[in-house]
Amino acid sequence: MSEHDVEQSQAMHVVHDGPRQAPPLLLIHGSGFSGGSWSPVVPALAGYHHVIRVDLPGCGQSPPGLSYDVSVQAGRVAALLDDLGLRRVATVGHSSGGYVATALAEQRPDLVGSLALISTGPSPDAFLRQPVLLRALLAPPLGPLLWLTRSNAMIRRGISVTCARPVEVPDDLVADLRSITYRAMRTVLRRNTAYIAERSVPERLAALDVPVLVIFGTADPRWEPSSAQQYDTVPNARVELLPGVGHIPMLEAPEMTSELLLGFTATAADTLPVIPQA
C-alpha cells in the first residue's frame, strides 16, 4: 500500500496519506469545501499519522446525499471508520466540519480518541454579518444566478474574503468547490444552524469524555473571535488563539496549525509532543 491512496467508501471520496500503520488522523472539511482544503497541512501531518480526508456527500468528488443533517453526516463517517477497522481516531473538523466531528463523538465515542475544532462557531449568537460577496452568493435573489456563473477567480475571492491574510488557494480546492450545487449548499448551511441552535457545541462537548483542542483566529470574519471563550466551560478543552488569522488557518497559517495539531495529538495519546520539521 502506498502512502497516498484514493478510494470511494460509504458514497464518499476518501484520500489516505501517510503510512497505514501510523496513528490515524481524520480531517473533516467545512461547508461546501472538500478534503483539498487540508492540502497545505497534510505533508506535515502525514509524517506522523495515517491521514484520512473525506469529501462529505455533495462536496468535492462525492455524489450528493439524500440528507445533509449533521447527525446523518456523522453516521456516514462512522461507517467509514468501521469499514477501515479504526478506533480511537484523532478527529479534526474545520468550521462546520467541527459539528460533524462533534456529532461523531456523540454517536460513537469509541471511534474518537481526541477532538480538534478549527474555526468552529460555538452557537448561533456568535455568527457575524458575512462579507458582501458571500451574502450575494448564498442568498436570493442573486445567489442562484451567481452560483451558476462563478468563475475560478470568483471562487478564489470568495475564499479569500474569509481570510485575514493573503492565501494561495490550492487548484484542487477551487475545482472541488465547483461541484456543490446552490441548493445543496443552502441545505447544508440550514442543517448546520439547526444543529447548534438545538444545543451549543460547548454544551455538547461538556457531556463527552474526550480531550478537546479549539483553534480560533483572532480576525475570523465569520464568527465572533471572542466567542472562542465559550469553550472555556468544556472540561479537558484547550483554546488556542491565532493572532491575525481569519477563518481558514490551514491556508493562512499552515505551519502553526500543523504544529498545534501534532502537539495535541501526541499529548492526547500520552506521548511526547511532536513538532514538524522545518
Side-chain angles (χ1 to χ4, degrees):
M1 184 69 68
S2 70
E3 294 196 354
H4 178 85
D5 299 289
V6 179
E7 65 176 345
Q8 288 285 333
S9 180
Q10 296 296 326
M12 292 187 296
H13 179 78
V14 183
V15 178
H16 301 266
D17 289 282
R20 290 289 185 113
Q21 67 272 21
L25 176 63
L26 172 67
L27 304 178
I28 305 175
H29 62 81
S31 300
F33 273 43
S34 71
S37 62
W38 300 100
S39 294
V41 298
V42 166
L45 300 179
Y48 303 96
H49 286 279
H50 166 201
V51 178
I52 305 157
R53 289 182 282 167
V54 299
D55 286 359
L56 294 173
C59 298
Q61 299 181 54
S62 294
L66 296 177
S67 171
Y68 295 102
D69 287 351
V70 172
S71 61
V72 174
Q73 304 280 50
R76 291 190 180 103
V77 176
L80 167 66
L81 296 179
D82 283 337
D83 287 348
L84 294 172
L86 297 176
R87 293 291 182 274
R88 307 292 295 169
V89 176
T91 302
V92 186
H94 171 243
S95 193
S96 62
Y99 304 151
V100 178
T102 300
L104 175 65
E106 290 177 310
Q107 292 178 18
R108 294 288 302 278
D110 60 309
L111 296 180
V112 179
S114 61
L115 193 57
L117 308 181
I118 302 175
S119 306
T120 298
S123 58
D125 60 356
F127 196 59
L128 296 173
R129 182 173 174 79
Q130 298 303 284
V132 174
L133 178 57
L134 293 188
R135 295 203 308 271
L137 276 170
L138 295 172
L142 291 179
L145 178 61
L146 288 176
W147 200 265
L148 289 174
T149 59
R150 289 174 299 160
S151 64
N152 287 351
M154 183 181 290
I155 291 174
R156 291 181 187 279
R157 179 59 181 161
I159 294 172
S160 296
V161 297
T162 68
C163 300
R165 298 181 178 185
V167 296
E168 182 175 340
V169 181
D171 291 339
D172 58 342
L173 179 57
V174 174
D176 286 345
L177 280 168
R178 286 196 164 283
S179 63
I180 188 168
T181 66
Y182 175 80
R183 185 172 184 176
M185 184 67 174
R186 291 272 296 177
T187 302
V188 167
L189 294 175
R190 286 197 299 268
R191 298 297 182 265
N192 291 338
T193 299
Y195 181 75
I196 58 174
E198 178 184 38
R199 198 177 178 202
S200 74
V201 182
E203 186 180 358
R204 293 173 183 275
L205 294 174
L208 303 175
D209 183 20
V210 61
V212 176
L213 170 67
V214 175
I215 299 175
F216 231 96
T218 62
D220 192 325
R222 299 209 68 200
W223 297 95
E224 171 55 53
S226 65
S227 70
Q229 297 173 359
Q230 294 183 32
Y231 289 100
D232 290 337
T233 62
V234 180
N236 301 322
R238 186 174 106 227
V239 178
E240 293 284 350
L241 300 178
L242 305 185
V245 173
H247 188 64
I248 316 180
M250 307 91 70
L251 300 185
E252 299 176 69
E255 292 183 3
M256 189 182 308
T257 303
S258 300
E259 181 174 336
L260 286 171
L261 291 176
L262 287 174
F264 173 66
T265 58
T267 302
D270 295 323
T271 60
L272 291 176
V274 178
I275 304 301
Q277 299 299 311

